[in-house]
Amino acid sequence: MSATSPSNQLFARPVMPFTSFSDLAAPSFLPQPWVIQNLLPVGLTLLSGDPRCGKTSLAQQLMLDIATGTTPFGTQDAALDDASQHLRPRRGSIFYLSLTSSTPHLHEIRSRIYASRPDIPALSNLFVTNAFKPLTPGEGLQELCDWIHCYADSCLLVIDDLASLRSLFPGNDRELLALLRRLAEEYQISILLLHSCKRSSPLAAQVNHQLHLKRLPVSTFYTLEVHGNRLLPTSYLLYCPADRLSFRLASLEEERALDTLSAHKTLTRERLGLLRLFDEYGSILTPRQVAALLQLDYDCARQLLSKMVKANLLTAPARGHYAIHSFIKPLVPSLLAHHPFLPKFDIAHIPADEEAKVEAVPATIEPAAQEEKLDAEPTAEIATAHAASDTTASTSGESVSHPGHQEPETPIAHNQPSPQWQASGLNGNIPGSPGYLPGYQVNASQMPPPAI
């Protein structure tokens, strides 16, 4: 389709000569540049993401917020008035081209929307269709313009999705996106176009703004990245339960848990199986119990549990006892729902806790105190042995000399034997020994045993 085609001429800007800024008069009415403040401006916005990552659910949530004038993602600040909210919606009429839905599916969408907000009144400003005429000046384009022009508060057109819209347009994607940009500019509305693609898709250069949605490994959490001409690059961490339409910002505790579960090499299949075991058992387990169920060596099971503690998947409330960490415990059921074929365990046959029968070292004793206690034990044994020796010696009438006790020295003549030798009845000493005295004969059979 060329630049002079009827479709492009339908929304062509009027010819304007060069005008100086001093002569450029301000318009009497400035249109509202936002449909949702800081999130969804006027113009063409591409909502991208992987297939089945939640783009349609997010678009329906935004439609519902605009139709009811509700602040998106639960960011209502009670301390601020409505005009000062960071994500302030502009209430108005919405047109939803759900080209990928059948008629029964449209009824499911309606039921889901009303189930998420049971207290809202009838949505008379939300219009939906699942079939449309070709986007030519005489058919679909003209009818679309008539619908938008019929409602003065028209503010949003949602198209789900680009692949289905291509069959209604005779040109290429570049011409189609240019037409949608001109349509949004002409009527000062926001057009939200859903498409399954990467964030770096070439289509991002053909739109005014881009919202990229990514589903996290825990399926109820998402990241929404915001880029655009009027938008500061922003990222939102969102939570939406699987059973209803209710996107909200994730809490700080949930964010910490997701950081733990998203760590490198954290969620291996082996660890997921252990998380399932702890979740089904619902109580504390020991390495011996885990080793018996997994048929592993005790040391292997203990090392595996220790590594999961370091990864903040498990916690050790007591020595040798493990449980799921409180940070990630609320997210474990949603995480395990994505892995239905993990190994199953017969928790009814978990062996008894043998760790409780083993007397452990008290946790209150410091390591240095434990070493000091161990060093003191041999000293006590030695003291006991000396006491027994003293008792034996006193009974036999012999005097015992302790290693630490020094008796007063008695002067000994150079040629006289020592008193110990005299008491033993010996007449001499050993030749060649220290203090040898010549002239004394020694009977080897009467020699005292050597001192040890």
Side-chain angles (χ1 to χ4, degrees):
M1 183 177 292
S2 63
T4 58
S5 63
S7 297
N8 287 332
Q9 291 297 324
L10 182 63
F11 305 115
R13 296 192 185 102
V15 177
M16 175 182 175
F18 282 105
T19 307
S20 66
F21 275 97
S22 59
D23 297 334
L24 191 62
S28 58
F29 172 75
L30 289 176
Q32 175 61 253
W34 298 96
V35 176
I36 298 179
Q37 185 81 20
N38 299 316
L39 181 65
L40 194 59
V42 168
L44 178 60
T45 301
L46 178 67
L47 177 53
S48 59
D50 294 334
R52 292 172 294 279
C53 73
K55 298 185 297 295
T56 300
S57 297
L58 179 60
Q60 294 171 0
Q61 171 80 53
L62 297 178
M63 287 191 303
L64 183 58
D65 292 336
I66 295 171
T68 58
T70 305
T71 304
F73 309 148
T75 58
Q76 179 76 24
D77 191 347
L80 302 175
D81 57 4
D82 294 340
S84 303
Q85 300 295 328
H86 182 71
L87 298 179
R88 183 179 70 254
R90 186 180 85 189
R91 188 170 183 174
S93 297
I94 301 126
F95 302 95
Y96 183 25
L97 269 66
S98 184
L99 302 177
T100 59
S101 302
S102 62
T103 301
H105 189 212
L106 290 181
H107 291 282
E108 293 178 7
I109 293 174
R110 179 184 179 277
S111 300
R112 188 183 184 194
I113 289 177
Y114 278 106
S116 61
R117 304 276 183 87
D119 56 337
I120 60 174
L123 297 174
S124 58
N125 56 347
L126 179 55
F127 306 92
V128 62
T129 182
N130 62 350
F132 208 69
K133 300 177 181 178
L135 294 181
T136 57
E139 296 182 275
L141 281 177
Q142 187 61 49
E143 182 176 348
L144 187 58
C145 293
D146 293 340
W147 273 100
I148 296 174
H149 186 72
C150 182
Y151 294 88
D153 61 346
S154 299
C155 59
L156 179 63
L157 170 63
V158 179
I159 303 176
D160 188 8
D161 60 2
L162 176 60
S164 301
L165 188 64
R166 286 168 175 161
S167 61
L168 303 179
F169 186 73
N172 54 36
D173 286 349
R174 182 180 178 181
E175 295 171 344
L176 175 58
L177 297 180
L179 176 64
L180 295 177
R181 289 200 310 271
R182 288 291 301 122
L183 177 63
E185 180 183 346
E186 178 72 19
Y187 291 97
Q188 286 297 299
I189 64 172
S190 177
I191 299 179
L192 187 61
L193 178 63
L194 280 64
H195 183 52
S196 297
C197 65
K198 301 296 182 181
R199 186 183 62 179
S200 58
S201 172
L203 295 176
Q206 306 296 326
V207 298
N208 303 117
H209 323 284
Q210 183 183 13
L211 306 178
H212 186 76
L213 187 66
K214 179 181 179 181
R215 189 193 295 267
L216 299 181
V218 181
S219 62
T220 54
F221 288 88
Y222 309 80
T223 55
L224 179 64
E225 299 181 6
V226 180
H227 304 274
N229 300 337
R230 299 177 180 174
L231 298 169
L232 292 175
T234 312
S235 180
Y236 297 98
L237 178 61
L238 304 177
Y239 167 79
C240 182
D243 57 345
R244 65 181 185 273
L245 193 65
S246 180
F247 281 88
R248 63 165 174 82
L249 292 181
S251 63
L252 181 60
E253 291 76 11
E254 293 169 338
E255 186 173 357
R256 289 175 180 173
L258 289 172
D259 289 341
T260 299
L261 296 176
S262 301
H264 182 56
K265 294 183 179 180
T266 295
L267 294 177
T268 62
R269 183 173 176 81
E270 188 176 34
R271 293 182 177 184
L272 287 170
L274 277 176
L275 287 178
R276 179 174 182 173
L277 169 62
F278 278 92
D279 183 64
E280 291 179 352
Y281 188 61
S283 183
I284 297 175
L285 291 173
T286 65
R288 295 188 186 279
Q289 293 174 314
V290 173
L293 285 175
L294 300 182
Q295 297 182 353
L296 290 177
D297 180 71
Y298 170 78
D299 291 334
C300 293
R302 186 173 56 83
Q303 292 178 8
L304 178 59
L305 295 174
S306 177
K307 290 181 179 179
M308 292 182 68
V309 170
K310 293 180 180 179
N312 291 326
L313 297 176
L314 298 179
T315 183
R319 184 176 179 181
H321 295 75
Y322 299 88
I324 297 178
H325 203 294
S326 58
F327 274 166
I328 69 167
K329 192 170 184 178
L331 308 184
V332 169
S334 299
L335 176 65
L336 297 178
H338 283 269
H339 303 275
F341 298 107
L342 291 173
K344 297 182 179 180
F345 305 98
D346 189 2
I347 61 176
H349 294 83
I350 292 180
D353 183 6
E354 298 293 339
E355 301 290 340
K357 301 179 181 180
V358 180
E359 183 178 359
V361 178
T364 57
I365 301 180
E366 299 294 334
Q370 293 180 11
E371 295 179 2
E372 186 175 332
K373 180 180 178 182
L374 294 176
D375 292 341
E377 290 176 356
T379 305
E381 293 176 0
I382 293 173
T384 304
H386 282 306
S389 176
D390 291 345
T391 304
T392 305
S394 62
T395 303
S396 60
E398 298 180 356
S399 61
V400 178
S401 176
H402 295 285
H405 177 69
Q406 295 183 357
E407 295 290 339
E409 297 182 359
T410 304
I412 301 175
H414 176 71
N415 58 353
Q416 295 296 327
S418 64
Q420 290 84 356
W421 283 97
Q422 292 177 353
S424 63
L426 298 178
N427 297 324
N429 55 359
I430 301 173
S433 64
Y436 167 68
L437 299 177
Y440 287 92
Q441 300 297 325
V442 178
N443 187 354
S445 62
Q446 297 179 355
M447 289 180 61
I452 298 177

